[in-house]
Every structure is written in structure tokens, then in C-alpha cells.
């Protein structure tokens, strides 16, 4: 039989061969993995609001630029620990019409990976401003704005949070409120928090690994470039809110340049703020309602000290520096 001359036989072999290989190589292993992979012990299913946020995330095409799969590579270490199959065990079908889990892993890394964005950037206010106009909080961002997820503030907004937008990007009136879709999307983004896996390393440990592989060290000591380390840690953890120049965002995130807490002789309040966060403080006559997250679980004592020393010696600040031992003492005291 001239197999190569029988077009129908050749086409049928190719077609059914492809279907068979797809089942063997992709579909059956995926079904087995989904059926036999248990979620991590501390994992919780998405709430109704977060589930709606996932639908908005998919509808707005966020997966086109953002992944949710941290690779075991040094370049991915700032985004969290390497992803594991158990991270996706609770990601089920959207509804009866969409019987497969949504494709949120992504492949394009135009923007940062979002697997741990809820822990990495836990400020609800920052997330809203970033959606309204990314340039309002990240000057060089190339992410498109999503103003249709917001409405002008009218004075009576119910439970919707009112966002004061920086003047350069503000609409008429200067304030906006997120729509239900915007609130759901931010709730979903804040729910994206990796659960630590023993042996896999935390976000802070991952950063330590990257630094070590680059030939550096996260421990201060003779010969270390402590200033560069503090600047890097500040850029990765603080600059998105307080800005690279330490000026913050007026009325939203306080400045660190000339800040009385940063310049204080006694660094206790400065250390406590970074370890445990803060909310509702009045600085230089301006009230800042946006909560600042604490970094006690993400950063070790030496890293916190490096950030504090960077803040105390940058942008014209000239205050006494601290040591990792100072941070350890405040951490043990548990003060806020």
C-alpha cells in the first residue's frame, strides 16, 4: 500500500495521531495531576468577591503580560519562592460552561510575576492607584491604565473606598472610587499570596539566594557594600509607595525625606513601623489613612537594618544608623 499516496489515510493518521499524543502527553497527565495534587495545608479557596476578581482579571487580559508561575531561577527570586503544583490545586472551573481551570499561569513576562503580589504589595490604596494610572505610583511603568474600573467621587460613595489621585494624573475633583469590578479585581490581587513551603524558601530567602549568586551577601560586615544593599532592598520593597526619591505621594504615602520618625535619635519607632506597619498617622499636618504593611515576615533583621540605614542617610537625611541587633531587640519586644 502506498501510504504516502493515500491522502485520506495520511491525513487521518496525522489527525488521530495528534489527538492521541495530545491525550497521552498533555491531557491525561494534567487530569491526573489535578486529581492527585492536594492544596497546601494553609490554602483557602477564593471568596465570592475574589472569585469575581479572578473573572475580571481574565476579562481584562491581565494574563497577557503577567505570569503566576515563579521559575526556580535567580531572575525570578524577587517575585517569591518557586511555584509548586499545590499552589494551583484550588483553582477550579469558572462555571459549568467553562469546565476547565482558567489559564492564569501565563507565559509573557512583560510585567512582574503576580504569584505573591498580595504579600509583596499589600497596600490596597497602592493597588487602586496603580490600576487607575500606573504612572501615578511607578513613573516608568508601561502598563496601560484602567480608568473604566473607576468612577468620579461624588461625596456619598457608600462602602467604596475614595482614592485621592496624585495631581498630575487626577481627574476633575481629584478623587475617584472603584467600581464593583475594580474592587473585586483588587481583592483578587491581594489574595495572591504564596504559602511558605519548607525547604523552598520564603521571599526574603529567595532574595538572599539571588544576592549570594550575584557574589554579594545579605549580612553586613567588613567589605560589604551596605549602602548598595540598602538601596536595592528599598527599591524592591519601599520605593513603589515612598518613591525612589523618598518624597512619597502627597496625601497618599508620606515622604521619608525630612520625616521626623526617620530623623529621630531613637530609632525604635522607625524600626517598629517597618516591622509591624502603620496606619492613620498625621505627618507634618497631613493625615495618611492608607495602611502600611509590616515586613516582619518578609525581611530578616539585617535586611530591615539596611533599609532603615538607607532611609536615614539618603535624600538629605542625616540620622544615626542602626544595627541588626537593634532590629532584633525591637522584633523580640513586639512593639508597634
Amino acid at each position: 500500500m502506498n501510504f504516502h499516496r493515500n491522502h485520506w489515510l495520511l491525513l487521518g493518521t496525522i489527525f488521530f495521531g495528534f489527538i492521541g499524543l495530545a491525550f497521552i502527553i498533555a491531557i491525561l497527565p494534567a487530569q491526573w495531576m489535578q486529581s492527585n495534587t492536594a492544596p497546601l495545608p494553609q490554602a483557602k479557596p477564593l471568596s465570592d468577591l475574589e472569585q469575581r476578581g479572578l473573572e475580571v482579571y481574565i476579562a481584562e487580559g491581565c494574563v497577557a503580560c503577567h505570569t503566576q508561575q515563579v521559575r526556580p531561577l535567580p531572575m525570578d527570586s524577587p517575585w517569591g519562592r518557586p511555584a509548586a503544583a499545590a499552589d494551583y490545586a484550588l483553582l477550579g472551573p469558572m462555571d459549568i460552561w467553562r469546565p476547565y481551570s482558567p489559564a492564569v499561569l501565563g507565559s509573557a513576562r512583560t510585567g512582574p510575576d503576580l504569584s505573591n503580589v498580595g504579600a509583596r504589595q499589600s497596600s490596597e490604596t497602592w493597588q487602586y492607584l496603580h490600576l487607575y494610572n500606573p504612572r501615578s505610583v511607578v513613573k516608568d511603568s508601561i502598563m496601560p491604565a484602567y480608568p473604566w474600573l473607576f468612577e468620579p467621587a461624588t461625596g456619598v460613595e457608600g462602602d467604596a473606598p475614595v482614592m485621592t489621585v496624585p495631581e498630575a494624573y487626577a481627574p476633575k475633583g481629584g478623587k475617584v472610587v472603584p467600581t464593583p469590578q475594580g474592587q473585586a479585581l483588587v481583592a483578587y490581587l491581594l489574595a495572591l499570596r504564596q504559602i511558605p513551603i519548607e525547604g523552598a524558601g520564603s521571599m526574603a530567602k529567595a532574595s538572599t539566594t539571588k544576592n549570594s549568586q550575584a557574589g554579594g551577601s545579605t549580612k553586613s560586615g567588613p567589605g560589604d557594600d551596605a549602602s548598595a544593599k540598602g538601596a536595592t532592598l528599598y527599591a524592591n520593597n519601599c520605593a513603589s509607595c515612598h518613591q525612589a526619591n523618598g518624597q512619597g505621594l502627597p496625601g497618599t504615602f508620606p515622604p521619608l525625606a525630612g520625616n521626623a520618625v526617620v530623623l529621630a535619635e531613637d530609632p525604635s519607632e522607625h524600626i517598629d513601623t517597618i516591622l509591624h506597619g502603620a496606619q492613620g498617622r498625621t505627618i507634618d499636618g497631613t493625615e495618611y489613612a492608607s495602611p502600611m504593611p509590616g515586613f516582619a515576615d518578609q525581611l530578616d533583621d539585617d535586611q530591615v537594618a539596611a533599609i532603615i540605614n538607607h532611609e536615614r542617610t539618603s535624600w538629605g537625611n542625616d540620622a544615626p544608623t542602626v544595627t541588626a541587633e537593634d532590629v532584633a531587640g525591637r522584633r523580640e519586644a513586639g512593639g508597634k
Side-chain angles (χ1 to χ4, degrees):
M1 179 174 59
N2 293 325
F3 181 82
H4 63 286
R5 292 180 178 273
N6 189 329
H7 293 170
W8 286 109
L9 180 59
L10 183 61
L11 180 62
T13 301
I14 294 173
F15 176 78
F16 288 107
F18 174 80
I19 296 297
L21 286 174
F23 267 91
I24 295 172
I25 296 174
I27 298 176
L28 293 179
Q31 289 181 336
W32 183 92
M33 179 69 74
Q34 188 160 347
S35 300
N36 292 273
T37 300
L40 296 170
Q42 298 174 315
K44 297 179 181 179
L46 295 176
S47 66
D48 291 341
L49 179 63
E50 292 162 357
Q51 183 67 33
R52 291 198 298 273
L54 171 58
E55 296 178 5
V56 177
Y57 181 89
I58 295 171
E60 295 293 347
C62 302
V63 72
C65 294
H66 294 284
T67 57
Q68 288 187 38
Q69 48 167 322
V70 182
R71 300 168 297 183
L73 301 174
M75 69 177 67
D76 279 15
S77 62
W79 314 130
R81 60 159 174 77
D87 291 331
Y88 315 101
L90 294 178
L91 191 64
M94 302 292 286
D95 50 47
I96 61 173
W97 307 111
R98 291 172 290 181
Y100 302 106
S101 299
V104 297
L105 274 69
S107 58
R109 299 178 186 269
T110 307
D113 187 274
L114 300 181
S115 298
N116 200 40
V117 70
R120 192 170 70 245
Q121 185 46 271
S122 59
S123 170
E124 180 183 80
T125 301
W126 187 93
Q127 294 287 358
Y128 281 127
L129 292 176
H130 187 245
L131 281 175
Y132 181 76
N133 191 317
R135 265 68 60 193
S136 68
V137 288
V138 183
K139 182 179 179 180
D140 298 324
S141 175
I142 61 172
M143 174 177 157
Y146 291 83
W148 53 86
L149 296 177
F150 298 83
E151 298 173 339
T154 58
V156 181
E157 310 302 340
D159 295 332
V162 179
M163 298 293 110
T164 300
V165 182
E167 184 177 355
Y169 307 95
K172 185 177 180 180
K175 297 183 179 181
V176 296
V177 294
T179 64
Q181 291 78 13
Q183 295 179 61
L185 178 55
V186 167
Y188 171 68
L189 293 174
L190 293 177
L192 295 176
R193 296 170 179 254
Q194 287 184 324
I195 295 174
I197 297 178
E198 186 175 356
S202 65
M203 184 168 63
K205 291 179 180 178
S207 297
T208 299
T209 301
K210 179 180 179 181
N211 189 282
S212 298
Q213 290 175 339
S217 169
T218 61
K219 295 298 180 183
S220 298
D224 286 347
D225 190 349
S227 178
K229 180 179 68 175
T232 299
L233 287 166
Y234 176 86
N236 290 340
N237 295 279
C238 314
S240 59
C241 291
H242 296 291
Q243 304 299 293
N245 59 7
Q247 296 301 316
L249 292 177
T252 306
F253 303 117
L256 300 179
N259 188 302
V261 172
V262 176
L263 294 174
E265 290 286 330
D266 182 356
S268 297
E269 186 176 358
H270 193 177
I271 296 172
D272 290 347
T273 300
I274 292 182
L275 287 176
H276 308 295
Q279 183 176 10
R281 293 187 179 178
T282 299
I283 300 174
D284 295 332
T286 301
E287 183 178 352
Y288 293 89
S290 177
M292 171 182 163
F295 291 88
D297 294 333
Q298 288 96 333
L299 301 175
D300 63 31
D301 297 337
D302 199 78
Q303 291 170 319
V304 172
I307 290 175
I308 289 175
N309 291 337
H310 174 73
E311 295 174 351
R312 287 179 158 249
T313 58
S314 300
W315 320 300
N317 291 344
D318 185 14
T321 56
V322 303
T323 65
E325 288 71 24
D326 295 329
V327 177
R330 296 306 303 171
R331 189 191 294 267
E332 185 176 353
K336 291 189 178 181

